[in-house]
């Protein structure tokens, strides 16, 4: 294909990528944005496949068939509750693919075409480092989200110093490769150390900080792809990787602000550190927890003017989004205002709750951000919390020894009455007790989230 046409189609693909990301900034345009990005990727793939430098399509065809089968299987079998784990895996696959491209380029091109140029060597080293860190870091994130590893921060004394030594060693090996004094053994050692670095960077991060880590690893996978684009001389890969990397960093920054964390804390694996002892669960609850029933809660709702529903990971686990929508419809038929209060890190990945509620066709204008809904809680009659443990925990405001101290939360405790739908008093993903459960204005509605909400809806309808 003519080089001018190739560059023109790559430019079109890049414009579709930018338009797609722009569309993803708003729920109403998200589907169209996703479609634009998909068309852009199709254009880029087709143009690349028509490149005259491709001599054989057998391996490409085999990869397409195998990848399509795996992707279809994952898309149809993975539950919504497991989406954070799937996102973590996809980030890791992206980093692993870039890592393989870099290694193959060094081992293959150097021998075939003589010494590699400076730009190619720098790009290979950057791709190796970022790709390896993304691969193993995402694997650790997956294991924590899947509860194969404990969700709390893990590590050992001096882990930050260990990470620094690893990073310096990787840079030294990269310098050796770039200068031309390194060989394939240097490449292997660099890759191994970078893989270890990915593990030790993510292990100390856990609990409520995991959504931030997922956003950061997504950025890493984009940066690795961009660096791989320099190796291959593929401009559209550079552009698309840079877009993913930049948007991932911006999202990470937004999530850090929402968590009251520092970006350097994420980058160097120093999040989730406590400043002192955390309150014991028995001390927090001290026999003050009050259990309720759907009938009692329905009587509270009967006289309410405004109800705020606060979804969390418990809603996702119970697949209760449609039941919640039915409850809201029943309340609105009685003239009660119903809105949804969404914390930016509720669930286990950015936007988790937005996706669930959109699946249940909850109107976008009823989904309020943390800043918007916090201004309304003092004028709210009933706040219904469904599994949103960490993002409603007053420890973030009151307990300086808590790992989540300083994190902005949804101030549901300021509502006239708080109803918490939960299976038990077990802690959330951060592993912390929640003093909210023992507050005078809090009632616990124990049980499976979906079943409890359906029973509450039935009780509300009976009072009509």
């Amino acid at each position: 294909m003519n080089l001018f046409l190739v560059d023109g189609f790559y430019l079109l693909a890049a414009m579709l990528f930018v338009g797609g990301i722009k569309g993803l900034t708003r729920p109403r345009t998200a589907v169209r944005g996703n479609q634009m990005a998909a068309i852009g990727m199709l254009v880029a793939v087709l143009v690349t496949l028509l490149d005259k430098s491709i001599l054989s399509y057998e391996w490409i065809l085999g990869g397409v068939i195998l990848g399509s089968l795996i992707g279809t299987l994952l898309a149809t079998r993975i539950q919504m509750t497991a989406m954070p784990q799937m996102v973590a895996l996809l980030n890791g696959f992206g980093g692993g693919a870039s890592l393989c491209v870099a290694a193959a380029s060094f081992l293959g091109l150097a021998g075939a075409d003589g010494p590699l140029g400076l730009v190619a060597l720098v790009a290979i080293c950057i791709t190796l480092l970022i790709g390896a860190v993304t691969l193993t870091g995402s694997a650790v994130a997956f294991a924590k989200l899947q509860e194969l590893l404990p969700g709390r921060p893990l590590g050992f004394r001096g882990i930050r110093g260990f990470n620094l030594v690893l990073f310096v060693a990787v840079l030294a090996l990269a310098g050796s490769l770039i200068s031309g004094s390194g060989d394939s053994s240097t490449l292997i050692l660099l890759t191994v150390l970078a893989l270890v670095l990915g593990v030790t960077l993510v292990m100390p991060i856990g609990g409520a900080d995991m959504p931030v880590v997922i956003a950061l690893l997504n950025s890493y996978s984009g940066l690795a792809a961009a660096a791989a684009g320099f190796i291959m001389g593929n401009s559209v890969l550079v552009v698309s990787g840079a877009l993913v990397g930049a948007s991932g960093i911006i999202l990470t920054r937004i999530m850090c602000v929402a968590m009251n964390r520092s970006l350097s804390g994420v980058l160097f694996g120093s999040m989730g550190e406590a400043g002192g002892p955390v309150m014991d669960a028995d001390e927090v609850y001290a026999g003050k927890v009050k259990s309720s029933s759907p009938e009692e809660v329905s009587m509270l709702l009967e006289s309410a003017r405004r109800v705020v529903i606060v979804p969390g990971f418990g809603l996702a686990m119970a697949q209760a989004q449609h039941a919640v929508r039915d409850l809201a419809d029943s309340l609105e038929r009685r003239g009660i205002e119903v809105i949804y209060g969404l914390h930016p890190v509720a669930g286990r990945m950015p936007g988790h709750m937005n996706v669930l509620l959109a699946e249940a066709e909850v109107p976008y204008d009823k989904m309020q951000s943390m800043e918007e809904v916090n201004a309304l809680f003092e004028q709210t009659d009933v706040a219904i919390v469904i599994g949103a443990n960490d993002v409603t925990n007053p420890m973030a405001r009151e307990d300086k020894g808590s790992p989540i101290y300083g994190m902005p939360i949804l101030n549901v405790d300021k509502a006239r009455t708080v109803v918490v739908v939960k299976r038990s008093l077990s802690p959330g993903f951060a592993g912390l007790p929640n003093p909210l459960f023992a507050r005078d204005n809090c009632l616990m509605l124990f049980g499976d989230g979906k079943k409890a909400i359906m029973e509450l809806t039935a009780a509300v309808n009976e009072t009509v």
Side-chain angles (χ1 to χ4, degrees), residues 137-148:
S138 298
V140 173
F142 166 81
K144 287 195 171 194
L145 293 169
Q146 192 66 21
E147 299 182 0
L148 300 176

Side-chain angles (χ1 to χ4, degrees), residues 329-349:
D329 289 343
S330 296
L331 294 175
E332 288 172 341
R333 283 195 293 267
R334 301 174 63 93
I336 300 171
E337 179 189 7
V338 179
I339 58 177
Y340 299 79
L342 305 183
H343 194 283
V345 295
R348 294 187 181 176
M349 70 175 183

Side-chain angles (χ1 to χ4, degrees), residues 59-130:
W59 285 101
I60 296 174
L61 181 61
V64 169
I65 293 174
L66 179 61
S68 298
L69 289 174
I70 295 173
T72 302
L73 182 65
L74 290 175
T76 55
R77 297 293 182 87
I78 296 297
Q79 298 294 324
M80 183 60 69
T81 52
M83 283 302 294
Q85 294 94 303
M86 184 174 176
V87 171
L89 277 181
L90 293 176
N91 290 336
F93 290 159
S98 299
L99 170 64
C100 292
V101 168
S105 297
F106 182 86
L107 298 174
L109 297 181
D113 303 327
L116 292 169
L118 178 61
V119 173
L121 285 170
V122 171
I124 286 173
C125 291
I126 292 174
T127 307
L128 285 171
L129 172 58
I130 301 177

Side-chain angles (χ1 to χ4, degrees), residues 32 61 73 121 140 145 160 222 265 306 319 326 414 418:
R32 186 176 64 205
L61 181 61
L73 182 65
L121 285 170
V140 173
L145 293 169
R160 277 193 254 177
R306 174 184 290 153
Q319 290 290 285
D326 292 340
K414 296 183 179 180
V418 183

